[in-house]
């Protein structure tokens, strides 16, 4: 999946953008937050995928980019708990792709949830009083209920475009009360909460939107902090503040109604040079992705820009067919791995803005990432550490598998804002 980190992080961050740090999932650096929120105004944003138009407005199309396109409007059961972000003194950076640590979640549409046995199931209690706003020609304003969750799940599960096997662990989903939803499992899946809770395919869409035509942007209507009010192909998606949004933000000892911002515009910009010019001249307030090669010049020409630098999630990969000679021999793969001068790549290609990728997981994937020092001796031996031997950034296992050589850029993702 692309970044993108799920919009469960971005949605709330942008709702509070007038006063708080923006989108910790992309580590957007801001100045110190004012003590009193200053509501109002418009944010013009070049998103992580600012070169692409909306992929689809219908969750049943199974577009990974729906999170990016409509994450401000369609909400989910679970969301990132940004009070745990490092920008607010917490332990988490919230930048890892499609990943939330277990202690970094909170309920969004769900007030609470629990796992139960006999049979194995997940029970969600929804927040009461959350409203779908009125949408002329589509629906009257009404309360979110458990039936909306059941409908949304069943619809994407029955879609011919769904990812095969994605929900095979789910036996059934049912509303056992007006605000209670139960997911009964055939077997345990460690990604159960991601797959329909806070992941890419978890949007809760009312049946009225589907009846009107969920693929038409004019019919989009969700419980989120913003409403999609305009869409221009190849130009922009405009979101306007939902005046009846349910959530609040606590700043100091005082709670404030969200969202603070009146309007957000996601800009579509096909060329990097155009995007950088828009940022430099103030036509963009936020650019979520700036290449390391452009940042020094930006700092010179626009010294007021504030940037944040972090380690990219993915690396540069050279894949090999391990069922074809000579790559079916682990010794050949290991020799190729050790022969590549990755330090030269880091210095010459990335300008020093990268580091060795020891394991195919980002260090932020808690519970999955394993440092080289904890790996078996046979793996460590394939990663020379003495100055006279080239370092290996990808230990090759003894058993045949797809092997690659990687180095990971420390600046492939950089958020820049005024």
């Amino acid at each position: 999946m692309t970044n993108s980190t799920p919009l469960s992080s971005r949605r709330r961050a942008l709702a509070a953008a007038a006063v708080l740090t923006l989108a910790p999932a992309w580590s957007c650096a801001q100045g110190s937050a004012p003590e009193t929120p200053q509501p109002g105004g418009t944010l013009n944003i070049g998103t992580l995928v600012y070169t692409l138009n909306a992929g689809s407005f219908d969750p049943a199309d199974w577009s990974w980019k729906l999170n990016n396109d409509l994450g401000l409007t369609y909400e989910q059961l679970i969301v990132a708990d940004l009070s745990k972000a490092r920008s607010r003194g917490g332990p988490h950076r919230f930048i890892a792709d499609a990943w939330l640590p277990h202690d970094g979640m909170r309920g969004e549409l769900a007030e609470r949830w629990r796992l139960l046995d006999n049979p194995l199931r997940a029970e969600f209690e929804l927040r009461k009083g959350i409203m779908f706003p009125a949408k002329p020609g589509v629906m009257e304003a009404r309360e979110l209920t458990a039936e909306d969750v059941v409908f949304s799940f069943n619809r994407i599960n029955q879609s011919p475009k769904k990812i095969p096997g994605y929900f095979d662990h789910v036996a059934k989903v049912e509303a056992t009360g007006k605000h209670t939803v139960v997911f009964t499992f055939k077997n345990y899946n460690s990604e159960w909460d991601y797959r329909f809770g806070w992941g890419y395919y978890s949007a809760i869409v009312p049946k009225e939107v589907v009846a009107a035509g969920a693929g038409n942007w004019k019919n989009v209507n969700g419980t989120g902090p913003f409403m999609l009010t305009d869409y221009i192909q190849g130009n922009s998606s405009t979101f306007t503040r939902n005046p009846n949004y349910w959530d609040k933000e606590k700043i100091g000892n005082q709670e404030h109604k969200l969202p603070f911002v009146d309007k957000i515009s996601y800009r579509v910009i096909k060329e990097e040079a155009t995007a950088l010019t828009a940022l430099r001249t103030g036509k963009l307030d936020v650019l979520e992705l700036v290449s390391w090669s452009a940042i020094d010049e930006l700092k010179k020409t626009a010294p007021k820009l504030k940037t944040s630098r972090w380690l990219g999630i993915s690396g540069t990969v050279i894949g090999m067919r391990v069922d074809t000679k000579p790559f079916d021999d682990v010794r050949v793969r290991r020799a190729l791995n050790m022969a590549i001068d990755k330090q030269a790549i880091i210095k010459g290609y990335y300008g020093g803005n990268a580091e060795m990728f020891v394991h195919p997981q980002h260090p932020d994937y808690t519970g999955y990432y394993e440092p080289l020092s904890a790996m078996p001796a046979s793996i460590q031996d394939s990663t020379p550490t003495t100055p006279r031997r080239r370092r290996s950034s990808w230990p090759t296992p003894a058993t045949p598998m797809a092997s690659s050589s990687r180095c990971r850029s420390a600046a492939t993702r950089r958020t820049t804002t005024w």
Side-chain angles (χ1 to χ4, degrees):
M1 302 174 190
T2 160
N3 113 340
S4 316
T5 289
L7 265 286
S8 54
S9 296
R10 177 193 286 174
R11 174 169 48 246
R12 183 173 178 83
L14 289 181
V19 61
L20 301 176
T21 58
L22 279 175
W26 291 271
S27 297
C28 175
Q30 301 285 317
S32 57
E35 294 182 359
T36 303
Q38 302 296 320
T42 299
L43 278 177
N44 292 290
I45 299 174
T47 69
L48 202 66
V49 283
Y50 63 79
T51 61
L52 300 179
N53 291 297
S56 172
F57 296 107
D58 186 352
D61 286 336
W62 280 75
S63 169
W64 64 264
K65 196 169 169 286
L66 185 83
N67 271 273
N68 184 89
D69 301 329
L70 293 178
L72 297 177
T73 299
Y74 288 139
E75 293 188 296
Q76 302 167 313
L77 293 173
I78 301 171
V79 71
D81 184 358
L82 297 189
S83 69
K84 304 286 183 65
R86 288 189 180 181
S87 60
R88 305 186 192 180
H92 304 302
R93 290 187 291 186
F94 290 111
I95 66 168
D97 177 25
W99 170 252
L100 290 180
H102 289 297
D103 62 343
M105 305 178 192
R106 71 173 184 88
E108 186 166 53
L109 297 179
E111 187 170 31
R112 56 185 175 273
W113 66 94
R114 58 179 179 168
L115 276 176
L116 300 169
D117 288 319
N118 301 318
L120 181 62
R121 62 199 188 276
E123 181 182 271
F124 287 86
E125 293 290 338
L126 303 182
R127 299 180 189 274
K128 297 178 176 64
I130 293 181
M131 300 293 291
F132 289 104
K135 184 86 169 181
V138 177
M139 64 185 295
E140 299 294 329
R142 68 168 177 84
E143 186 182 11
L144 167 82
T145 69
E147 292 293 347
D148 293 305
V149 178
V150 175
F151 173 82
S152 297
F153 174 85
N154 287 338
R155 184 167 181 267
I156 65 170
N157 188 37
Q158 294 164 8
S159 169
K161 298 180 180 181
K162 78 170 183 177
I163 299 173
Y166 200 78
F167 290 128
D168 282 0
H169 61 290
V170 180
K172 62 180 178 179
V173 181
E174 55 190 339
T176 58
K178 184 177 180 180
H179 299 96
T180 305
V181 184
V182 176
F183 290 73
T184 302
F185 300 140
K186 299 175 186 176
N187 53 271
Y188 182 75
N189 186 307
S190 62
E191 287 189 347
W192 70 267
D193 52 352
Y194 162 77
R195 296 203 175 191
F196 198 84
W198 56 267
Y200 285 91
Y201 311 107
S202 305
I204 305 303
V205 180
K207 61 184 179 180
E208 293 93 334
V209 167
V210 174
N216 187 337
W217 73 265
K218 295 180 180 179
N219 297 328
V220 169
N221 198 45
T223 56
F226 294 91
M227 302 176 289
L228 180 63
T229 52
D230 194 25
Y231 172 71
I232 302 174
Q233 178 81 7
N235 184 280
S236 63
S237 297
T238 301
F239 299 87
T240 302
R241 179 179 180 271
N242 178 359
N244 298 313
Y245 185 55
W246 60 272
D247 205 2
K248 298 179 180 179
E249 180 76 20
K250 190 172 184 179
I251 302 174
N253 295 320
Q254 186 175 355
E255 285 192 336
H256 300 270
K257 182 177 175 59
L258 294 176
F260 294 136
V261 180
D262 288 336
K263 188 176 292 185
I264 290 177
S265 177
Y266 284 171
R267 298 296 308 279
V268 177
I269 305 174
K270 295 297 184 180
E271 301 292 337
E272 181 186 31
T274 305
L276 294 175
T277 298
L279 180 67
R280 187 182 295 111
T281 58
K283 293 180 180 179
L284 279 181
D285 300 298
V286 178
L287 187 56
E288 292 183 348
L289 181 64
V290 176
S291 63
W292 64 265
S293 57
I295 199 66
D296 288 340
E297 184 64 24
L298 270 177
K299 288 182 176 180
K300 292 177 183 177
T301 57
K304 292 184 179 180
L305 286 175
K306 297 180 181 180
T307 66
S308 181
R309 181 175 182 264
W310 65 85
L311 194 63
I313 299 299
S314 59
T316 302
V317 180
I318 301 174
M320 289 170 261
R321 284 286 300 268
V322 298
D323 59 349
T324 303
K325 291 185 179 300
F327 305 124
D328 59 345
D329 189 332
V330 67
R331 295 171 300 176
V332 173
R333 303 198 301 271
R334 184 170 292 146
L336 286 172
N337 189 31
M338 297 177 67
I340 296 173
D341 190 343
K342 301 178 184 68
Q343 291 291 355
I345 294 174
I346 289 175
K347 182 179 179 180
Y349 181 78
Y350 289 106
N353 294 285
E355 67 175 48
M356 292 298 188
F357 202 175
V358 175
H359 187 274
Q361 293 278 4
H362 191 279
D364 283 4
Y365 287 107
T366 307
Y368 292 87
Y369 172 75
E370 185 176 10
L372 182 64
S373 59
M375 294 184 183
S378 60
I379 300 297
Q380 294 188 42
D381 288 345
S382 70
T383 310
T385 57
T386 60
R388 288 174 291 184
R389 299 172 68 187
R390 294 189 177 98
R391 293 177 180 269
S392 169
S393 66
W394 176 274
T396 307
T399 54
M401 62 173 288
S403 180
S404 60
S405 296
R406 300 186 177 199
C407 53
R408 178 174 49 194
S409 172
T412 53
R413 291 183 179 177
R414 185 193 295 268
T415 303
T416 310
T417 178
W418 291 96

